[in-house]
Amino acid sequence: MRTGRPDPGDQRRGGRRRRRWAIRLAAGVVLLGVAAAGGLAVTWAMHPFPESRLERWDRTRTVTASDGTPLLQLVGRDEQWRTPLPLASQSPWLAAATVAVEDRRFREHHGVDPWAVVRAAWQNLTAGRVVSGASTLSMQVCRMMDDRPRTLESKAIEAFRALQLERLRSKDQILEHYLNVAPYGGNVRGAAAAARRY
């Protein structure tokens, strides 16, 4: 005959069942993580970062007078104005402003900013369209390196390449590269070329 009190045997069985499910769930998460890490390691080994593409951009050729005054400038084969400069020769205010606007956590992440990804995903879902991106400076360098269209597949490739890039280059080298190849309107690439052209 059943009374209003819970049966201790039922409670123990329910507790054991919940523990088994929790253990299975934890084991599944661990296995999924191991499989993802293994897949990333294999992909990393099979698709090394194409460093030669980082240097593929032509620079603007300049003929100068003996005092250094530019007399003639010629664009590269891709018809882009590009005058790369070392980061140390560029304004620290420009570098700080670029990081503040483009990638606030640039110095903290390893190529992909997980908080920016969550924020962008939430904003895009609630708006029902793409209103925000999560590209880091490293991801943008990788996008410019390959001139990919802006799709989810491209974003995934850029994220993977950005993780690789961060293992090969320092933060300052990545920032320097960005400041030298980022579009500044029309066919002007890089801050130095923009300063000279405008």
Side-chain angles (χ1 to χ4, degrees):
M1 180 173 146
R2 286 203 167 262
T3 62
R5 279 179 268 153
D7 182 10
D10 285 347
Q11 287 181 335
R12 279 193 300 275
R13 281 190 292 279
R16 276 189 241 131
R17 213 174 293 129
R18 282 192 293 277
R19 276 193 299 281
R20 277 196 302 268
W21 274 106
I23 289 168
R24 287 179 186 154
L25 180 62
V29 168
V30 168
L31 285 173
L32 188 62
V34 168
L40 181 62
V42 168
T43 305
W44 195 289
M46 291 178 63
H47 301 282
F49 189 85
E51 290 187 73
S52 61
R53 285 194 225 156
L54 281 176
E55 310 306 328
R56 74 175 176 88
W57 294 289
D58 288 337
R59 64 181 297 140
T60 300
R61 289 169 296 210
T62 305
V63 177
T64 59
S66 59
D67 65 354
T69 306
L71 297 174
L72 173 70
Q73 289 189 309
L74 301 170
V75 294
R77 290 172 299 213
D78 58 359
E79 299 190 8
Q80 302 286 309
W81 293 99
R82 210 176 274 109
T83 313
L85 284 176
L87 187 62
S89 299
Q90 299 189 46
S91 166
W93 293 105
L94 172 66
T98 300
V99 169
V101 170
E102 294 290 334
D103 187 359
R104 284 185 305 136
R105 285 180 288 278
F106 174 65
R107 300 277 179 196
E108 299 158 24
H109 62 68
H110 299 288
V112 177
D113 183 353
W115 298 113
V117 171
V118 170
R119 175 195 42 79
W122 175 252
Q123 288 175 341
N124 295 339
L125 280 171
T126 54
R129 60 189 174 86
V130 177
V131 293
S132 177
S135 289
T136 62
L137 289 176
S138 303
M139 289 173 68
Q140 290 181 59
V141 167
C142 293
R143 184 182 68 238
M144 291 183 282
M145 181 178 79
D146 288 329
D147 296 326
R148 283 193 178 85
R150 295 182 183 202
T151 63
L152 280 176
E153 181 184 356
S154 294
K155 282 278 189 199
I157 293 168
E158 289 159 19
F160 174 72
R161 289 296 189 204
L163 292 170
Q164 289 181 312
L165 176 61
E166 294 254 350
R167 301 280 296 168
L168 297 170
R169 298 284 195 275
S170 70
K171 290 289 189 180
D172 283 347
Q173 288 172 320
I174 293 168
L175 181 57
E176 176 183 303
H177 207 77
Y178 178 85
L179 290 171
N180 283 326
V181 298
Y184 277 81
N187 65 341
V188 178
R189 295 291 189 134
R196 206 165 264 166
R197 297 296 298 166
Y198 298 129

